[in-house]
Amino acid sequence: MTASRPETAINTLVGDALFIGGGGPDYGVVQSLRLDKANRHGLIAGATGTGKTVTLQTLAEGFSDAGVPVFLTDVKGDLSGLAAAGAPVDKLKSAFEARAAQIGFDLCYRSYPVEFWDLTGAKGIPVRMTVSELGPVLLSRLLDLSPAQEGVLHIAFHLADEEKLALLDLSDLRAMLHHVGERASELTMRYGTVDKRSIGAIQRQLLMLESEGATGFLGEPALELADMIRIAEDGRGQVNILTADKVINTPKTYATFLLWLLSELFETLPEIGNPEKPVFVLFFDEAHLLFDDAPKPLLDKVEQVVRLIRSKGVGVYFVTQNPTDIPEDVLSQLGNRVQHALRAFTAKDHKELEQAAKTYRANPDFGIIEAIRDVGTGEAVTSFLNSKAVPGQVERSLIRPPVSLLGPVPAATRERVIDQSALYAKYRTALDRESAAELLQARMVADDPQAPRSAPESLSRGRRYRGANSPEAKPQRRSSSDTLMETFGKSIVRQIGTQGGKAIVRGILGSLFRK
């Protein structure tokens, strides 16, 4: 959407749209993103160092000022600056002021209502979800399971639902897999092959994931989406920043959480059609990680969710280096685009540059390929949906400077924001309610009064591996006669139902083995 530069300076909003920057001759034409088309999703692309993070920050500011809650992932730690006002003495002060004057922007510094979240809980409010909420499909991708192993996991989830065994945390999942293994023959007849080797492989993957510290987000209290979709007392939308500088080192964990969040919003929010402004807007940085190595059924599901979730008032903006990082079916759904520079050093780079240029509506005043290749830092090729949801003509635009702090806030500021958050008090302490692990242990004790009261290692809460020489790694070996006596004894005693019967069995088997 374009308009003539107003006679007076403007701020982050211009009418019912976000002020993005200035385009056209001398950058004097306002470039803006219509709020009523913001749920048609978007793309922020460009090579490293071309200004994607600043664009993301300015869009988050505009949505918040419009009363739209925002979720964004902070991969490098730079976006925490949204919690503080921009610094008038910053080294970029003169450059930002000159740019603001050129595009007609009122550079009025201010902070935003921020909540810091963290899957590890180290630098923000702990983010958790239950194993049941994550589901077997996303969990299978997180664990990199084969189709056969994924099938066993589906059986475990189905059986847990059938027997009303809540899968809340990792210990519940381990206990459930152990339970499925014990009933493998029975369950194979009901649901198909349950291979104990597959169960063992899943358990090993869980152990590896835990050793990487990537399972702390499984548990309670689970995240309530309403705690992210909030409006601050001053009417601005809450800015939710997921600290991802550590979790990005385990990309499947990062991608799994984002896909869960997207699917959970889709399943939870009601249909509202085409709202005047979005209910919630999400920015996914390093968006290619959502699609790398994803199986086709999962890609199909993501494409379906992206296509339909806009009717629930949710806008999704993917941030990545190259538009080709996004599957074509998803890319076709992204109506609002800010394309920073793409460098072309190789034949492959030139081909990708041409492909990116073909996705824009041409402007007779310049060549799109040359514009995408030549725009400088802070400049971009932009295209936004018009009132009829038709992509606007591409423009070379100067992106407005941010009014919040550019770069990370001091650690003390971050800690103060976290400590003062009512949500931190709500989610800080993990809960351990009675669930599948405890219920299965209780069943075992009820079936066999002589069973140990504490859960065996396979049913207990996961522990880190302590090495082959650890006392815990050396269980006492039992003789074959003890094992057989216990096995046959239990079976016959269940039939006889008396202690005398047990004594008789022990005597008979003992005599046999002595001979």
Side-chain angles (χ1 to χ4, degrees):
M1 177 175 138
T2 61
S4 300
R5 178 187 294 178
E7 294 181 0
T8 57
I10 60 176
N11 212 309
T12 60
L13 301 176
V14 49
D16 294 325
L18 308 188
F19 180 57
I20 305 300
D26 300 322
Y27 304 109
V29 179
V30 171
Q31 301 299 302
S32 58
L33 191 164
R34 296 177 62 99
L35 283 169
D36 63 351
K37 298 297 181 287
N39 64 325
R40 301 296 182 100
H41 313 312
L43 173 72
I44 303 172
T48 300
T50 56
K52 296 192 302 295
T53 300
V54 173
T55 297
L56 194 164
Q57 185 168 344
T58 58
L59 284 175
E61 291 174 350
F63 278 119
S64 179
D65 284 333
V68 178
V70 173
F71 171 89
L72 50 89
T73 55
D74 190 7
V75 173
K76 296 178 290 185
D78 294 344
L79 293 169
S80 63
L82 281 156
V89 294
D90 189 271
K91 62 182 180 180
L92 293 174
K93 174 178 180 293
S94 58
F96 279 173
E97 288 180 346
R99 188 191 304 180
Q102 185 173 9
I103 63 177
F105 177 67
D106 181 13
L107 190 57
C108 181
Y109 295 113
R110 59 184 174 276
S111 62
Y112 283 81
V114 164
E115 293 284 1
F116 290 108
W117 303 84
D118 191 346
L119 285 170
T120 68
K123 294 183 178 179
I125 304 165
V127 178
R128 302 183 189 90
M129 69 196 76
T130 67
V131 171
S132 292
E133 288 175 333
L134 185 60
V137 174
L138 289 179
L139 189 57
S140 296
R141 190 198 179 198
L142 178 63
L143 298 174
D144 198 21
L145 301 184
S146 69
Q149 293 160 1
E150 182 178 350
V152 171
L153 196 62
H154 275 274
I155 291 172
F157 272 75
H158 179 79
L159 187 63
D161 286 341
E162 191 176 74
E163 299 188 355
K164 298 184 177 3
L165 297 169
L167 299 178
L168 302 182
D169 55 21
L170 197 59
S171 64
D172 293 326
L173 181 58
R174 282 201 170 114
M176 197 67 217
L177 289 168
H178 181 90
H179 182 57
V180 168
E182 288 184 326
R183 298 173 58 184
S185 298
E186 171 200 344
L187 295 174
T188 294
M189 296 298 294
R190 291 170 58 186
Y191 303 118
T193 303
V194 177
D195 189 342
K196 291 187 178 181
R197 291 173 298 181
S198 293
I199 294 175
I202 298 171
Q203 296 279 32
R204 286 194 298 273
Q205 290 296 93
L206 288 172
L207 181 62
M208 291 172 60
L209 197 67
E210 186 184 25
S211 68
E212 295 173 355
T215 57
F217 64 92
L218 295 174
E220 289 188 308
L223 173 66
E224 296 181 28
L225 296 180
D227 287 332
M228 285 189 172
I229 310 175
R230 302 200 311 172
I231 306 298
E233 292 181 358
D234 60 7
R236 291 185 295 172
Q238 177 174 294
V239 178
N240 302 279
I241 300 177
L242 179 72
T243 304
D245 56 340
K246 298 297 183 184
V247 75
I248 199 68
N249 295 323
T250 52
K252 285 194 175 179
T253 302
Y254 174 76
T256 297
F257 170 72
L258 297 185
L259 291 173
W260 170 82
L261 180 61
L262 192 62
S263 62
E264 195 73 4
L265 287 165
F266 179 70
E267 296 293 337
T268 303
L269 295 180
E271 294 277 346
I272 60 173
N274 294 310
E276 294 182 357
K277 63 182 180 182
V279 171
F280 196 35
V281 170
L282 304 98
F283 293 91
F284 291 162
D285 201 359
E286 300 294 341
H288 65 280
L289 295 176
L290 276 69
F291 309 104
D292 287 352
D293 302 322
K296 190 175 186 307
L298 182 58
L299 290 177
D300 291 342
K301 180 66 175 177
V302 173
E303 188 273 330
Q304 179 191 36
V305 170
V306 171
R307 177 164 45 86
L308 299 177
I309 201 170
R310 71 187 189 193
S311 65
K312 295 173 181 276
V314 177
V316 184
Y317 289 70
F318 296 95
V319 185
T320 190
Q321 291 197 17
N322 198 305
T324 58
D325 295 336
I326 311 296
E328 188 172 346
D329 288 341
V330 176
L331 188 63
S332 65
Q333 305 295 323
L334 311 183
N336 301 294
R337 302 190 182 188
V338 179
Q339 175 69 64
H340 290 275
L342 287 176
R343 309 308 181 195
F345 299 108
T346 67
K348 180 182 177 183
D349 293 338
H350 281 282
K351 183 177 180 180
E352 290 178 345
L353 177 58
E354 291 175 359
Q355 288 178 325
K358 290 177 181 178
T359 64
Y360 291 94
R361 180 180 166 189
N363 186 326
D365 294 337
F366 59 84
I368 299 179
I369 294 177
E370 292 75 13
I372 295 176
R373 185 189 60 206
D374 298 338
V375 289
T377 300
E379 189 181 9
V381 172
T382 60
S383 175
F384 304 106
L385 297 177
N386 62 23
S387 60
K388 297 181 179 180
V390 175
Q393 182 174 274
V394 68
E395 291 283 356
R396 291 186 63 155
S397 305
L398 272 181
I399 305 301
R400 75 161 179 84
V403 297
S404 55
L405 180 67
L406 183 65
V409 294
T413 302
R414 174 193 285 270
E415 291 173 5
R416 184 176 67 252
V417 171
I418 296 170
D419 289 341
Q420 293 176 350
S421 170
L423 294 177
Y424 181 60
K426 176 178 178 179
Y427 291 104
R428 175 175 50 194
T429 305
L431 301 178
D432 189 11
R433 293 190 294 127
E434 183 179 70
S435 47
E438 293 79 11
L439 293 172
L440 288 170
Q441 169 65 13
R443 281 190 195 177
M444 184 175 67
V445 172
D447 289 343
D448 181 5
Q450 308 225 343
R453 292 285 167 175
S454 59
E457 181 66 18
S458 58
L459 296 187
S460 64
R461 189 168 297 280
R463 297 186 176 90
R464 293 290 180 89
Y465 178 68
R466 291 183 171 84
N469 294 323
S470 168
E472 291 186 23
K474 296 182 177 180
Q476 293 294 320
R477 297 190 63 184
R478 305 166 69 189
S479 69
S480 59
S481 60
D482 288 341
T483 304
L484 284 172
M485 284 174 65
E486 180 175 337
T487 302
F488 286 102
K490 283 184 180 180
S491 177
I492 297 175
V493 167
R494 285 193 183 99
Q495 302 297 323
I496 299 176
T498 66
Q499 291 297 320
K502 181 181 288 188
I504 293 171
V505 172
R506 286 185 178 276
I508 293 172
L509 292 178
S511 299
L512 288 173
F513 280 104
R514 281 195 295 274
K515 293 178 182 179

